[in-house]
Structure formats: C-alpha cells, structure tokens
Amino acid sequence: MNLANQLSDIELRNAFEAFMQISGELDQSYRKLEQRVSVLTEELASAKEVGRREKREKRLLETKVNELIELLPGGVLVLDSMNRIKESNRAAEAFFGADLDGKDWIEVYLNCCDEVPDGSGECHLKNGQILTIKKVELQQGDRLLLATDITEAHQQRVIQARRVRMERLGEMAACLAHQIRTPLSSATLYLSQLGHKSLEMDDRTRLQEKLNDSLSHMANLVSRILDVSRDRGIPSSEISLKNLMDEFEGLIRPQLGQQQGDLKISLPQEDYLVRADLEDLSGVLLNMAMNSLQWAGEGVVLLVTARSHAGNSVEISLSDNGPGINTEVIDHIFDPFFTTRAAGNGLGLSVAANVVESSGGQISVRNLDLGGAEFCIELPARLVADHQANSIQGDQRGVAA
C-alpha cells in the first residue's frame, strides 16, 4: 500500500513538473506571440499610414494635374469607346462650347467646325479659329484628344508667304521690265511708222500685224506674271485623284500623238481627295508633261505614278525617258523667267509651283539614275471612302437632330 502511494506521489510529481514545464513553454510562446502581434500591429499601422499618405499624395497629385490641365492653353478631351466625351478642360470648352461631358464628340465637332472630321488633324472652327487635333489611344478603348490653337501661327505663315511673294514680285517686276523692253520698243517703232501718210496699204497691214504681235506678247507676259504672283488662297473644293488623272490624260494625249509618244498611268487601288482646283492642278501636270515632251523629243514615254503616304498625303510623280535636265539649270527651273528655250518665257513652272504651294503641297524635280527627269508633287489628301463615311454620318446626325 505504501509502495502504491509512493508511485502515485512520484507520478503526480512528474505530472506536475511536466505541467509546469509545458506551462512555462506556453508562457514563453504567448510572450513571443504578444511580441509578434505587437510588431505586426506596428507594421500594420505603419502600412496604413503609408497607404493614407500615398492616397493623400495621389489626391494632391490628381488635384495638381487637374489644375494644370485646366490651365493648359490647349484643349484636352477624353473620349470613351463610343466617342462620348468623358472629361474636358476649360480650353476645350472655350473651343467647342460649355458642358461637354457626356456629349457625342462627332455632334460637337459638326456644330463647331466647317467640315466633318477628315483625318487630317486640322479643324477650322466657324468663328475663324484653326486648331490641330492629335489623338492618343488610352486603355479600355478610351482616346485622348489634344486641341491646339494654331490660328496665330497660320496667320504668321500667311504673312510670311505674302512677304516672300512680294519679294518674288519685286524680282519678277525687274525681269518683266527687261522682258517687255524689246516688244515695247518694237511696238513704239511700228506705231511711228504707221503715222507715215505715204505708207502703202500692204505695208500698213504688215506693220499692224507686227504691232498686234508685240502687244499680244506684252499682254501675255503681264498675264503670266500676275498668275505667278497672285495669292490663290487655300482652294475651297476637293477633287478626286482619278478625276484629276482623267482630266490630265485628255489634255496630254493629243500632244503625245504629235510626237509618237506614250503615256502610262499607275494609281493606288483606293481613290483619294486633294484640296485643289481641277483646272489649275491638271494644268500643273500638263505643264510638267510639256516640259518633258520638249526635252525628250520624239518617242517620249511619260510615266505618271501616284502613291499614298500614311493615308494623309499623295505623291504624284511624272518621269520621262529623255536625256534629263542640265545639272547647271535644274536648281533654277522653278524661278520666274528662267528658261532654256528661245521661245519660252520661263513662267510656266513658276505658276505650277504657286498652284501646288497654295494647296499646301510641295513640288520638286530630279534627274533619274538610269536617265530621264522626274517631277514630283506631294499634296495633303484623304481617302474618298473616309469622306463618304463621314458625310453619311453627318447627314444621319442632321436628320436625327
């Protein structure tokens, strides 16, 4: 019995010691847990403070960005995938009207601008302002439009162009005085001879014809110089590339027939519209072709090629199989009164350059490596399909309104 009690006391003591050991271990674990919880609580509080600080900084940054956008001189609009205006700044409202948010962009454009959007990036407002509009693709199908007022810059370009024309006019006036001196002297001589009473009728008729030729020559010179120097302004109409080529082909074919020449025309599959006068621009192509005919002579082959650049411009090149242009004169070929032909007045290509530049284009010429010369015209353009789609959309909105 005593042995049994002793075993029980030992077991109890062992159990108690085990309990105390476990209790101590639990206490240590609890303290470590408390320390860990304290550390995590501090980290969480710090993270929350960082989060709150980042939110404050983000809100402050958004406020600053919004203030900056509002102060920008250019218009800023954000469109959704349905072309509805989600956001706009003060400058955009000054351009396109107040309370833009939620409105359809195409309707706003049509109400404020002279034409439907043509993809050229330029907008002429009905109040006379001229804007450039650039597009930036955003996430989720949204788009950012940046509208910049270029009215003053456009006016400066017009003034500069007018100043250049006046300088050219001064140079041309001096050349005109030189060119007109000979026919004027001849006309004066013929008039003095016509005053003789003893002059026979046949001689009088012959002098009258010569006088008429001299006066016609002077009138032609004056007419051409006025054509070169006049400010044509931006053409109000648009012509299709295919119609332009049809018109040009009708003009040049008879001339080619006289020289046993040939014409080859290559056009892009899709038709394009250029802002130009049909008669003026076809006259430019005819003038270039006639120069090629004169340089190349019998059996000339003219190759006219049109190609598009990024869908917003077209390049029209006209090349021949002739000897090319003398390198000493090629840089002066568009100068007024510059000619290598005895019967020429040197104004045809000057007029051509004036027509192209008035349409916002450029004209150039070069000699080809394999022989012949190539004229090149580059003009702003847009797809006929885009124009028709925008016109239909504009008509539908007008009917809906």
Side-chain angles (χ1 to χ4, degrees), residues 134-315:
K134 295 183 178 180
K135 301 177 183 178
V136 179
E137 297 295 331
L138 303 177
Q139 295 179 348
Q140 300 177 346
D142 289 354
R143 284 181 298 159
L144 178 69
L145 301 186
L146 303 174
T148 305
D149 188 354
I150 61 168
T151 307
E152 185 175 349
H154 184 270
Q155 291 173 346
Q156 290 299 322
R157 287 199 300 268
V158 172
I159 293 172
Q160 178 63 21
R162 186 177 295 116
R163 185 180 295 115
V164 171
R165 280 195 299 273
M166 293 304 295
E167 291 175 356
R168 292 176 59 188
L169 182 59
E171 296 173 357
M172 288 187 288
C175 294
L176 179 62
H178 175 74
Q179 293 280 335
I180 211 170
R181 182 183 302 165
T182 299
L184 182 60
S185 299
S186 299
T188 304
L189 176 62
Y190 298 148
L191 279 174
S192 64
Q193 292 177 347
L194 283 172
H196 296 163
K197 294 180 180 180
S198 59
L199 196 65
E200 296 292 335
M201 183 57 67
D202 290 344
D203 292 335
R204 187 179 297 277
T205 301
R206 178 175 54 82
L207 287 173
Q208 286 175 339
E209 291 175 351
K210 289 184 176 181
L211 175 61
N212 185 62
D213 289 342
S214 296
L215 293 175
S216 297
H217 181 61
M218 287 188 288
N220 182 58
L221 280 174
V222 172
S223 177
R224 297 304 295 274
I225 197 71
L226 290 174
D227 204 21
V228 171
S229 60
R230 73 186 176 96
D231 184 3
R232 299 174 183 272
I234 300 174
S236 58
S237 60
E238 289 181 312
I239 58 174
S240 78
L241 190 59
K242 291 182 179 179
N243 288 345
L244 173 64
M245 289 304 160
D246 290 342
E247 181 75 11
F248 164 67
E249 187 173 3
L251 294 171
I252 195 61
R253 283 291 183 188
Q255 308 296 329
L256 286 169
Q258 296 177 8
Q259 295 189 212
Q260 291 76 50
D262 191 17
L263 173 67
K264 298 178 180 179
I265 297 177
S266 175
L267 299 178
Q269 185 175 2
E270 296 179 303
D271 200 6
Y272 285 82
L273 292 175
V274 296
R275 187 171 292 282
D277 180 83
L278 179 60
E279 182 178 350
D280 285 348
L281 195 53
S282 60
V284 169
L285 296 176
L286 178 63
N287 197 296
M288 297 189 306
M290 291 302 296
N291 276 274
S292 293
L293 263 63
Q294 291 156 6
W295 292 326
E298 295 286 331
V300 61
V301 177
L302 298 181
L303 174 61
V304 179
T305 304
R307 59 183 67 88
S308 66
H309 291 295
N312 56 19
S313 69
V314 293
E315 179 185 273

Side-chain angles (χ1 to χ4, degrees), residues 345-364:
N345 56 31
L347 291 174
L349 290 177
S350 295
V351 174
N354 189 11
V355 170
V356 173
E357 290 169 3
S358 70
S359 295
Q362 296 178 330
I363 185 171
S364 60

Side-chain angles (χ1 to χ4, degrees), residues 179 290-292 294-296 323-349 375:
Q179 293 280 335
M290 291 302 296
N291 276 274
S292 293
Q294 291 156 6
W295 292 326
I325 305 171
N326 191 318
T327 55
E328 295 179 357
V329 305
I330 194 169
D331 291 337
H332 304 283
I333 201 169
F334 297 108
D335 293 348
F337 294 108
F338 182 83
T339 182
T340 58
R341 296 185 294 114
N345 56 31
L347 291 174
L349 290 177
F375 284 94

